[in-house]
Amino acid sequence: MMERPPPAAGRQAGQEPPAALAVPAGLTDHFGRRHTDLRVSVTDRCNLRCTYCMPAETVFRDREELLSFEEITRVVTVAAAEGIRTVRLTGGEPLMRRHLDRLVRLLVAVPGIEEVAATTNGLLLAEQAELLAEAGLARLNVSLDAVREEAFERLARRPGLDRVLAGLAAAREAGFKQIRINAVSMRGLSEREIVPLAEFCRRERFQLRFIEFMPLDAEGSWDKEQVLSGAAVRALLQREIGPLEPVPSVDPGQPAVDWRWRDGGGRVGFIDPVSNPFCDRCDRLRLTADGQFRNCLFSTTEWDVRRFLREGHSDAAIARTLHECVAAKRAAHGIGSAGFERPARAMYEIGG
Ligand code: SAM
Ligand code: SF4
């Protein structure tokens, strides 16, 4: 058996990883979790200001801080050689990055990459869905918390529901299948939106998934009391709409637990990172828009790969950094435990 590198702290500026570090086969951590999925944030900018993610006002990173498409492609090429198979583009709002379809074309051509997907708020989808489909984007997740304009605006702090709905229609038209709608559930904020949203998804045959509110808001005001659990959402849906039954899971790496409407109205998924953490099955790594590897949404350490890219280091050095990042992954995020420490970045600066 190959020796695994010891857990490492984040790399200091300018330091090359030690060449002697043994590289394990595949990106497997100390808990036996093999990492095959890379979430790539392409920007911290966004055209919404969702209360659970961003502050009302913010200053974005300078453009030169963001990795170029060529830099991202190089990192993904190295990561694919180490075992990454799927890439999901995110942000901020990924469709705000100009010519995103060009990046998709570059990434689908990377040897070893089997799927490139994206998570978007949908505002710019009507303009870009066809381009993205042609470029080879395989899947779309669209975030939508409410189908009433007043509620949409209250949650997103900006208007735009009609544009998201037009974007969803355009995505279908462009040939995207199994479009997922992701909704964050928050006590006191989104309860009233859950039933209309579920009815909309049943009618339109979108796969709906509810995500529990995590301590990644920009204001740092997350409170456990605000978490509306997946179980509570399910109870509400069953009371107001009808019976749901669990669907056996086929993909153990999938954080969502799927249920289906007994009357044939499709599926509803629940991602419960707070009430039912799935850390033991996590297969994800992250690359932030400014070129930092992270091994968890809640990681408080980052591995600076941008410096390596811009200072002319080798692919092997990038690969070793990725392995160090994996080796340092903790068993679980620890939300709710005494030692839990929030990351310094909010969700829009990490990439959800
Ligand atoms: N802008 C795109 C979007 O909204 O789909 C992509 C980036 S966004 C950060 C990715 C996902 O993170 C969205 O589905 C969003 O609802 C979710 N998210 C943001 N902040 C969250 C939080 N504090 N807790 C749970 N999910 C959150
Ligand atoms: Fe923007 Fe997505 Fe965050 Fe909403 S959840 S503010 S759309 S990055």
Side-chain angles (χ1 to χ4, degrees), residues 221-278:
S221 59
W222 180 90
D223 187 316
K224 198 146 192 246
E225 295 303 310
Q226 293 171 292
V227 179
L228 186 62
S229 70
V233 173
R234 207 158 45 243
L236 177 69
L237 291 174
Q238 303 213 72
R239 196 172 62 237
E240 300 293 325
I241 300 180
L244 285 161
E245 59 192 15
V247 179
S249 169
V250 281
D251 176 3
Q254 184 55 250
V257 176
D258 277 347
W259 290 60
R260 70 182 150 227
W261 296 107
R262 270 208 207 130
D263 67 1
R267 291 184 177 198
V268 189
F270 299 89
I271 303 182
D272 302 339
V274 182
S275 69
N276 193 14
F278 38 84

Side-chain angles (χ1 to χ4, degrees), residues 31-282:
F31 304 94
R33 295 171 296 197
R34 201 177 178 100
H35 296 80
T36 55
D37 183 57
L38 184 65
R39 306 270 144 150
V40 176
S41 173
V42 295
T43 181
D44 57 343
R45 280 161 209 268
C46 192
N47 39 10
L48 295 180
R49 294 288 182 277
C50 304
T51 50
Y52 46 73
C53 176
M54 277 184 91
E57 302 292 334
T58 190
V59 177
F60 294 111
R61 287 179 194 278
D62 288 341
R63 285 183 196 278
E64 58 270 21
E65 286 186 57
L66 306 188
L67 296 191
S68 68
F69 287 172
E70 285 65 29
E71 288 172 328
I72 292 172
T73 306
R74 183 169 169 215
V75 176
V76 169
T77 305
V78 172
E82 301 305 310
I84 291 295
R85 292 291 165 262
T86 52
V87 171
R88 179 169 289 276
L89 302 175
T90 181
E93 172 46 38
L95 273 56
M96 286 193 75
R97 183 80 186 250
R98 276 162 60 91
H99 308 302
L100 188 71
D101 57 303
R102 189 167 80 77
L103 177 63
V104 173
R105 272 179 212 282
L106 291 170
L107 296 181
V108 295
V110 169
I113 294 299
E114 294 163 2
E115 180 182 282
V116 179
T119 298
T120 171
N121 63 26
L123 254 74
L124 298 172
L125 252 187
E127 294 92 318
Q128 296 185 32
E130 206 174 325
L131 282 174
L132 291 169
E134 280 169 12
L137 192 76
R139 273 170 193 257
L140 270 177
N141 283 1
V142 177
S143 304
L144 178 64
D145 304 317
V147 287
R148 297 186 308 126
E149 178 62 42
E150 172 277 319
F152 181 97
E153 235 177 289
R154 185 162 34 83
L155 287 158
R157 295 199 191 103
R158 292 203 175 167
L161 176 62
D162 51 345
R163 290 171 70 193
V164 180
L165 298 180
L168 284 168
R172 277 228 164 117
E173 186 74 12
F176 285 103
K177 305 256 179 323
Q178 298 187 332
I179 298 167
R180 286 210 184 105
I181 306 257
N182 287 340
V184 176
S185 46
M186 283 176 79
R187 202 173 281 288
L189 254 185
S190 69
E191 280 116 322
R192 284 186 52 210
E193 311 317 315
I194 287 169
V195 171
L197 184 62
E199 297 278 26
F200 167 78
C201 291
R202 275 163 59 87
R203 205 169 50 241
E204 299 291 332
R205 294 287 162 171
F206 290 121
Q207 291 189 17
L208 175 60
R209 289 199 312 196
F210 290 98
I211 309 173
E212 288 176 349
F213 176 38
M214 294 182 274
L216 291 166
D217 55 310
E219 270 99 23
S221 59
W222 180 90
D223 187 316
K224 198 146 192 246
E225 295 303 310
Q226 293 171 292
V227 179
L228 186 62
S229 70
V233 173
R234 207 158 45 243
L236 177 69
L237 291 174
Q238 303 213 72
R239 196 172 62 237
E240 300 293 325
I241 300 180
L244 285 161
E245 59 192 15
V247 179
S249 169
V250 281
D251 176 3
Q254 184 55 250
V257 176
D258 277 347
W259 290 60
R260 70 182 150 227
W261 296 107
R262 270 208 207 130
D263 67 1
R267 291 184 177 198
V268 189
F270 299 89
I271 303 182
D272 302 339
V274 182
S275 69
N276 193 14
F278 38 84
C279 302
D280 57 329
R281 291 177 278 132
C282 181

